[in-house]
Amino acid sequence: MHLRGLSFLLFFHSVVAESIQNDLMSFRTLPDVWALKYNVHIHDRARISPGYWFVAPYLQMDPDSPTNLFDPYQVGPYIYDGDGMLIWAGSRMFENRNVFDFKVVNSLGETPFLSLVSQHSFDAQADNDNGHGVILNNQYDIHASIPMRHDLGAFDIHEFNVLDDGKTALATFYKAHDIDLAEFNRPEEMTSILSGGFASINLSSQEVEHSWDCWPQIPLIESTLFGPDSPTSPRPGWDYVHINSVDKNDAGDYIISLRFTNSIYLISGQDGSIMWRLGGAGHATDFEQDFTFSKQHDIKFLESNGTRHVVSFLNNGSDELNNDEEVSCAFIIEIETGTDPNTARVLRRYNRPDKRLTRLRGNAQVLPNNHMFVGWSQKGYISEHSAEGDVLMAAEFESDRFSTYRAYKFPFVGRPSAPPDLIANVWGTDESHMVTTLYVSWNGATDVASWNFHARARETGEAVFVGSTNKTDFESMHILSGYLDFITADALDAQGIVLGTSEIQRTTTPDWDSAWFRGETDPHPDDPSVTYANGEPQAPSMRDYDEASIENAQASASKALEMATEAYNVVATIGSLVAFIVVACVLCALVVGYGMLRDRRRNKQYAQVPSDEQQSWMK
Ligand SMILES: *[C@@H]1O[C@H](CO)[C@@H](O)[C@H](O)[C@H]1NC(C)=O
Ligand SMILES: *[C@@H]1O[C@H](CO)[C@@H](O)[C@H](O)[C@H]1NC(C)=O
Ligand SMILES: *[C@@H]1O[C@H](CO)[C@@H](O)[C@H](O)[C@H]1NC(C)=O
Ligand SMILES: *[C@@H]1O[C@H](CO)[C@@H](O)[C@H](O)[C@H]1NC(C)=O
């Protein structure tokens, strides 16, 4: 009795914990993952581009301490479809650690690949883990894990840009220098600075082929954060430029964004010299320009022929310290350097749909049909705009605890090497009223439209088709009449082609003695070739379960949950000794209530469809 009561209480504890975190989703087939829920606002469904969202939610920028790594998996790489339905939770694969810049790479082969930055560990030195640029194939197996050259510090989180040649990747780095402050007429004073730079990495040798450091080319005076009066600093020192993106054009030159100089620079691929500066708010610029910007992110070439460049970027206009503008926006800019004077003109401006400022991070992605997809970062806020600027869609995490530094949209085909996950449980109070409940999902698989289920009399027995269900969410549930065992699930695409099949799953049974089972002996699995001979179950069908009984069961369960929630809340707010007494009392009350519920049920003439709540507490 007391054992059953304990599992009863433990069960309610976990249910209550879930209800407290109701901005997260959990699934039976992915029990250790709590994925973020999206709120989606579709404005013009017909015009939205096809594709999936690639995001990497994090709680805090710095690596979490190791204890937090044992929380249910939440942060890491995730794929959602255009309606916010979960497609892939990659947090387990990356041990609940922060990843950044998660996106699709199409230049590495016929199939799409995925790339991301896996952040250095909490104790990078002890773990000997300074972070990596990681490439996955579309089966979610690691294709490459690329370290940063040791003298260039940790693998920086801002950028891992696999170029269209499929042979090289660009990454940013931060490097410490110890310098004197002669530039500020304080030659006798020493300080440390963190300079910014970029590295071009050969993907096949994993060697840095080429690197560029802003120090000493970019003087301290260009920084908006440090000046002649700034106190000196020990290591790591002044983060005086804060590099946050790098891209390369066909001419071999590099465009970089330095957030703390409010400027965009073109760096010669030939000799590393600064070819021009496009200056933001209050900063020196080589251009006549019809716009201002500041605290910018994610500068990417859309076109470039050496003298005329079209670039996209995110203009914060704001940061932790200052607001320079009223609203953040994504820009498409045309830069002319073959003219006198050189000019920079706005081609398109896409304001943040909620007219607010993006204070922390973000990115702007021009889609193949010229739509603009913007990651505004905080709360995972994303939006898609038509080329002319109509807001077609916006979405954000239900939780305000998480952000994603960048967010992308790409068409993608995911075919996990791991098979679909299937769970089967059986229920019933007598042999003639058994039901088998199935839960199925396939983490990372795109294009699954429906599921077919087969059961067998024994492991090597004939596979008999026992049912199917359309996929409408990450996980699908299906109920079969009878006690079926040795079950498999086939994932089918919209054409009915089988994309993958689960392993054969044994059906979990309850402890029949305490599960109100009325038979003399424990029930045995059906032979589906008999009970499902005509595709129709010969056993009693679901028609026997009237709706009133289902509602009744649900009402009882939610009443019990209410009681347990109250108990949990009390426990959460008072000391442990008192809590123990309260819990003990509540436990007694619940056990008595449970007995009454059970007696009442036994008097009923109809069979119960057990809810999952009942299922768990009986185990
Ligand atoms: C990249 O590395 C591969 C293998 O080490 C080498 O064959 C190739 O020449 C390198 N590419 C460049 C551009 O150096
Ligand atoms: C680049 O394109 C512009 C506009 O089409 C053109 O005027 C210019 O001559 C081109 N420059 C080069 C180097 O091809
Ligand atoms: C806005 O400024 C904040 C604060 O510096 C910065 O972290 C963020 O990256 C910027 N975002 C954009 C979109 O520029
Ligand atoms: C399953 O999806 C197909 C194709 O969209 C549809 O025709 C069918 O009615 C759906 N079945 C159920 C039970 O919803």
Side-chain angles (χ1 to χ4, degrees):
M1 185 63 153
H2 65 280
L3 260 183
R4 198 186 300 167
L6 185 62
S7 62
F8 188 48
L9 191 73
L10 285 176
F11 155 69
F12 274 120
H13 177 276
S14 74
V15 168
V16 173
E18 267 179 58
S19 72
I20 287 169
Q21 307 265 346
N22 60 7
D23 45 21
L24 303 173
M25 304 181 278
S26 65
F27 302 97
R28 284 171 180 75
T29 48
L30 205 62
D32 44 6
V33 171
W34 287 4
L36 275 81
K37 278 187 201 164
Y38 260 106
N39 289 324
V40 185
H41 319 281
I42 304 277
H43 298 295
D44 191 344
R45 183 176 289 278
R47 290 163 71 200
I48 293 176
S49 343
Y52 299 92
W53 307 337
F54 295 79
V55 296
Y58 65 88
L59 268 168
Q60 54 176 48
M61 283 301 271
D62 290 331
D64 254 328
S65 68
T67 47
N68 291 350
L69 301 183
F70 297 99
D71 280 352
Y73 297 114
Q74 297 168 35
V75 305
Y78 282 78
I79 305 174
Y80 292 83
D81 80 357
D83 287 307
M85 182 175 85
L86 181 66
I87 298 292
W88 184 57
S91 39
R92 183 156 52 178
M93 181 167 184
F94 290 90
E95 298 173 330
N96 223 17
R97 279 170 50 180
N98 284 350
V99 314
F100 297 93
D101 203 22
F102 174 47
K103 59 175 175 273
V104 172
V105 181
N106 284 310
S107 57
L108 293 174
E110 293 293 302
T111 56
F113 284 73
L114 298 164
S115 68
L116 57 86
V117 176
S118 158
Q119 189 179 31
H120 65 86
S121 69
F122 181 70
D123 190 347
Q125 275 195 329
D127 303 340
N128 192 24
D129 183 353
N130 247 337
H132 292 84
V134 178
I135 297 172
L136 307 175
N137 62 22
N138 74 334
Q139 301 184 298
Y140 302 95
D141 300 320
I142 292 192
H143 170 77
S145 183
I146 297 162
M148 182 51 76
R149 198 173 72 201
H150 192 69
D151 64 300
L152 301 179
F155 205 106
D156 182 46
I157 61 157
H158 290 92
E159 186 89 71
F160 181 47
N161 183 353
V162 177
L163 297 177
D164 287 341
D165 64 4
K167 296 185 172 123
T168 37
L170 302 178
T172 46
F173 66 79
Y174 285 69
K175 187 172 178 182
H177 301 266
D178 298 307
I179 62 164
D180 68 50
L181 290 178
E183 188 189 329
F184 291 149
N185 293 321
R186 295 153 64 186
E188 70 292 345
E189 288 181 68
M190 296 292 292
T191 190
S192 291
I193 60 164
L194 261 185
S195 68
F198 62 85
S200 173
I201 303 171
N202 180 333
L203 287 176
S204 121
S205 67
Q206 305 202 345
E207 299 287 333
V208 172
E209 278 170 355
H210 176 66
S211 66
W212 182 90
D213 190 343
C214 74
W215 180 258
Q217 272 203 77
I218 296 186
L220 299 176
I221 196 70
E222 287 190 34
S223 176
T224 57
L225 232 57
F226 299 94
D229 302 325
S230 297
T232 60
S233 166
R235 286 197 173 204
W238 299 349
D239 176 10
Y240 85 110
V241 295
H242 201 82
I243 189 164
N244 61 19
S245 76
V246 56
D247 198 16
K248 188 181 185 181
N249 64 8
D250 291 341
D253 301 321
Y254 300 88
I255 197 162
I256 61 170
S257 159
L258 304 185
R259 179 148 73 84
F260 292 166
T261 72
N262 283 343
S263 296
I264 296 167
Y265 303 75
L266 191 73
I267 310 296
S268 163
Q270 294 276 316
D271 59 11
S273 62
I274 295 171
M275 297 169 74
W276 47 253
R277 281 173 174 77
L278 181 63
H283 269 254
T285 187
D286 297 327
F287 295 87
E288 189 184 284
Q289 64 198 59
D290 64 356
F291 65 102
T292 62
F293 66 92
S294 62
K295 287 94 180 181
Q296 72 289 340
H297 287 264
D298 194 28
I299 319 299
K300 292 283 146 65
F301 283 117
L302 299 177
E303 294 169 34
S304 175
N305 72 355
T307 60
R308 178 180 174 272
H309 317 273
V310 179
V311 301
S312 63
F313 65 95
L314 186 71
N315 167 34
N316 245 6
S318 156
D319 64 14
E320 298 92 333
L321 304 175
N322 296 297
N323 294 346
D324 304 318
E325 299 184 34
E326 295 297 308
V327 55
S328 297
C329 69
F331 268 135
I332 297 180
I333 305 293
E334 178 186 48
I335 297 167
E336 259 299 350
T337 55
T339 50
D340 186 20
N342 295 339
T343 58
R345 307 270 178 237
V346 173
L347 295 181
R348 297 278 184 195
R349 175 183 175 122
Y350 304 90
N351 282 347
R352 217 181 120 121
D354 64 1
K355 302 187 175 54
R356 294 170 60 189
L357 283 162
T358 286
R359 291 209 151 69
L360 292 165
R361 313 171 184 101
N363 70 311
Q365 178 195 9
V366 178
L367 302 179
N369 61 0
N370 288 325
H371 287 188
M372 177 63 93
F373 188 79
V374 190
W376 306 99
S377 177
Q378 199 173 5
K379 251 195 111 177
Y381 189 47
I382 53 179
S383 59
E384 180 175 336
H385 308 247
S386 72
E388 313 77 49
D390 301 339
V391 178
L392 306 179
M393 181 282 308
E396 75 280 324
F397 296 144
E398 199 158 306
S399 167
D400 54 14
R401 302 187 301 285
F402 296 84
S403 294
T404 178
Y405 176 5
R406 289 179 177 177
Y408 295 93
K409 183 170 197 177
F410 290 97
F412 183 65
V413 175
R415 294 282 179 268
S417 52
D421 293 304
L422 174 66
I423 289 177
N425 296 296
V426 64
W427 283 99
T429 49
D430 64 61
E431 288 266 14
S432 57
H433 290 87
M434 308 291 280
V435 288
T436 305
T437 311
L438 309 178
Y439 293 93
V440 66
S441 70
W442 196 6
N443 193 22
T446 56
D447 312 302
V448 178
S450 64
W451 295 99
N452 277 356
F453 303 104
H454 292 86
R456 294 155 186 80
R458 61 194 165 277
E459 181 141 25
T460 54
E462 177 204 358
V464 179
F465 175 78
V466 291
S468 70
T469 189
N470 283 349
K471 180 184 165 177
T472 55
D473 198 350
F474 176 81
E475 180 174 84
S476 301
M477 198 261 268
H478 189 64
I479 298 178
L480 298 167
S481 282
Y483 176 2
L484 297 161
D485 203 353
F486 300 104
I487 300 174
T488 51
D490 295 333
L492 278 68
D493 69 10
Q495 280 71 49
I497 294 168
V498 176
L499 302 173
T501 300
S502 73
E503 288 168 359
I504 293 180
Q505 183 64 44
R506 294 302 308 266
T507 295
T508 306
T509 57
D511 171 5
W512 294 111
D513 280 345
S514 55
W516 321 324
F517 189 72
R518 283 187 285 233
E520 294 287 307
T521 56
D522 287 354
H524 290 289
D526 302 337
D527 180 346
S529 65
V530 176
T531 54
Y532 278 77
N534 308 317
E536 289 278 321
Q538 305 298 298
S541 76
M542 291 303 292
R543 283 190 297 275
D544 291 353
Y545 304 97
D546 64 71
E547 278 183 22
S549 70
I550 294 173
E551 270 169 28
N552 246 325
Q554 282 168 349
S556 312
S558 60
K559 184 70 197 163
L561 177 60
E562 238 172 67
M563 290 162 68
T565 308
E566 275 168 31
Y568 180 87
N569 287 342
V570 172
V571 171
T573 48
I574 58 179
S576 59
L577 179 63
V578 184
F580 176 77
I581 296 166
V582 171
V583 167
C585 295
V586 170
L587 183 58
C588 291
L590 285 176
V591 168
V592 170
Y594 166 78
M596 284 163 57
L597 210 63
R598 184 172 124 179
D599 294 340
R600 218 177 68 210
R601 284 220 176 89
R602 279 193 165 150
N603 293 333
K604 300 229 165 122
Q605 292 311 303
Y606 50 77
Q608 288 280 334
V609 175
S611 72
D612 297 306
E613 282 78 7
Q614 291 164 340
Q615 171 178 350
S616 307
W617 106 47
M618 290 195 309
K619 270 188 220 162

